[in-house]
């Protein structure tokens, strides 16, 4: 099958790799090089890097200009496949390929339409999430879907869950394309009564708070990322909490808003129990495990709180 692929972040790379191995990828469309890490150097998108590895033709665009539309038409693809491209597609693009335009979405639609389905599934304590192969429509993730695959959520960070869903999505996309091509795919319209919206994560949402429960704070840590880190103030200094877990009942306890160090382990008191620090990154310093951080503290007890 002749395919045009559109995608940008690491989440999209497994889909591109599977397509390149099984089909003819006529064109890869991705967002332009950008500053993607610390420093001022422009870096290619993960999808562009993968496309160049496969010696695939690449076009960079952040909007559908007449020039981009001309290139898409010239590709003469049977289907357009999208995974986190990051650009609104006009009707002309959605109907350009004979088999239409399908998207790999990182949720079990209609749950978690929107920008941050993976983080929202973690924050809400979902038992499972997954990927959906859907048609792209006019609304945000409103199209019908023809295939879904699921995986468990608990115990996985946002990065870990993203990587797992990316692989799951790539496999599902390639396994579903034959049914889309021969018309045997069964499309299911989304039940609007079951829709939940995955709004972009605000940094304030992931600030740890002693007034919240230990499990809620743990989920904030698990859902965090470089763009929206889980932060708090501990021993009077702002830090990013990299890894943490709700402590069990047998662990040492601390009052809400206080921390205690026992045997090199650090426990932060929450509204209903304690959160155990596993690794931490004080501002201006490298990441370190909780034991190393505790070794640098003068006192074994102190206060912690929400970052203002």
């Amino acid at each position: 099958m002749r395919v045009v692929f559109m995608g940008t972040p690491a989440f999209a790379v497994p889909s591109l790799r599977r397509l390149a191995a099984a089909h003819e990828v006529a064109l890869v469309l991705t967002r332009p090089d950008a500053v993607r890490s610390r420093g001022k150097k422009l870096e290619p998108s993960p999808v562009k890097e993968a496309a160049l590895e496969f010696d695939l033709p690449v076009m960079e665009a952040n909007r559908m200009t007449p020039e981009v539309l001309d290139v898409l038409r010239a590709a003469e693809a049977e289907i357009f496949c999208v995974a986190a491209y990051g650009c609104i597609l006009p009707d002309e693009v959605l109907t350009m390929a004979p088999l239409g335009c399908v998207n790999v979405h990182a949720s079990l639609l209609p749950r978690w339409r929107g920008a941050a389905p993976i983080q929202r599934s973690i924050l809400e304590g979902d038992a499972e999430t997954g990927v959906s192969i859907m048609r792209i429509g006019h609304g945000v993730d409103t199209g019908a879907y023809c295939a879904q695959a699921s995986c468990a959520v608990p115990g996985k960070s946002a990065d870990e869950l993203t990587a797992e869903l990316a692989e799951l999505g790539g496999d599902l996309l390639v396994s579903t394309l034959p049914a889309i091509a021969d018309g045997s795919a069964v499309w299911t319209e989304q039940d609007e009564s079951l829709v939940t919206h995955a709004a972009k994560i605000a940094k304030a949402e992931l600030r740890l708070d002693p007034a919240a429960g230990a499990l809620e704070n743990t989920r904030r840590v698990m859902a965090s990322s470089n763009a929206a880190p889980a932060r708090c103030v501990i021993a009077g200094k702002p830090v990013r909490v990299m890894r943490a877990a709700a402590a069990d009942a047998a662990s040492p306890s601390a009052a809400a808003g206080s921390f205690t160090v026992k045997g090199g382990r650090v426990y932060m008191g929450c509204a209903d129990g304690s959160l155990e620090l596993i690794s931490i990154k004080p501002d201006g310093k490298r990441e370190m495990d909780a034991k190393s951080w505790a070794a640098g503290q003068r006192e074994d007890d102190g206060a912690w709180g929400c970052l203002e």
Side-chain angles (χ1 to χ4, degrees):
M1 187 180 302
R2 190 171 170 85
V3 177
V4 161
F5 181 77
M6 305 179 193
T8 299
F11 172 81
V13 170
S15 291
L16 175 58
R17 291 187 182 278
R18 303 296 194 283
L19 287 171
H23 298 283
E24 180 186 0
V25 179
L27 175 69
V28 174
L29 194 62
T30 190
R31 303 270 292 189
D33 294 357
V35 177
R36 304 182 192 278
S37 57
R38 290 187 178 183
K40 299 181 179 180
K41 184 179 178 181
L42 292 177
E43 299 178 7
S45 73
V47 162
K48 179 181 176 181
E49 290 185 325
L52 294 176
E53 287 178 18
F54 281 99
D55 198 27
L56 299 173
V58 180
M59 184 175 193
E60 299 173 47
N62 53 24
R63 60 191 181 92
M64 293 292 117
T65 64
E67 292 76 16
V68 174
L69 295 177
D70 286 344
V71 173
L72 289 174
R73 288 191 202 94
E76 297 183 333
E78 297 168 73
I79 191 168
F80 291 171
C81 296
V82 182
Y85 172 41
C87 177
I88 295 175
L89 303 179
D91 286 351
E92 186 173 359
V93 172
L94 301 183
T95 58
M96 191 177 290
L99 297 176
C101 193
V102 297
N103 181 51
V104 182
H105 180 73
S107 84
L108 297 174
L109 293 168
R111 188 161 179 79
W112 302 132
R113 291 179 182 171
I118 296 172
Q119 293 90 338
R120 292 295 172 193
S121 68
I122 294 172
L123 288 173
E124 288 299 310
D126 289 357
E128 68 172 9
T129 188
V131 289
S132 302
I133 305 302
M134 58 172 291
R135 284 188 177 125
I136 297 180
H138 294 107
V140 177
D141 302 325
T142 57
Y145 59 87
C146 68
Q148 294 185 320
S150 63
C151 69
V153 173
K156 298 169 186 173
S157 69
D159 286 345
E160 291 167 340
L161 192 54
T162 298
E164 183 173 353
L165 290 173
E167 297 291 340
L168 202 62
D171 288 339
L172 188 64
L173 174 64
V174 170
S175 67
T176 304
L177 284 182
I180 296 175
D182 66 21
S184 63
V186 177
W187 295 90
T188 301
E189 297 295 334
Q190 296 184 44
D191 185 341
E192 293 294 326
S193 69
L194 300 177
V195 169
T196 57
H197 294 281
K200 183 179 178 181
I201 300 292
K203 290 183 178 181
E205 292 183 81
L206 298 186
R207 290 175 185 163
L208 305 189
D209 189 345
L215 182 57
E216 183 178 353
N217 279 320
T218 300
R219 289 171 178 163
R220 291 175 186 179
V221 175
M222 299 297 283
S224 70
S225 64
N226 289 335
R231 289 172 54 79
C232 67
V233 174
I234 183 168
K237 297 180 180 179
V239 302
R240 176 179 175 182
V241 177
M242 307 298 292
R243 294 177 60 212
D248 58 38
S251 299
S253 61
S258 66
F259 73 86
T260 185
V261 179
K262 300 290 184 182
R265 300 173 74 170
V266 182
Y267 301 91
M268 298 165 56
C270 302
D272 61 356
S274 294
L275 182 74
E276 181 180 357
L277 287 184
I278 298 172
S279 64
I280 188 172
K281 187 181 183 305
D283 283 9
K285 296 184 179 181
R286 62 177 176 80
E287 180 180 349
M288 63 186 74
D289 59 38
K291 185 176 182 179
S292 298
W293 176 84
Q297 301 303 304
R298 294 182 179 180
E299 304 292 337
D300 286 342
D301 299 282
W304 80 278
C306 193
L307 189 69
E308 296 298 331

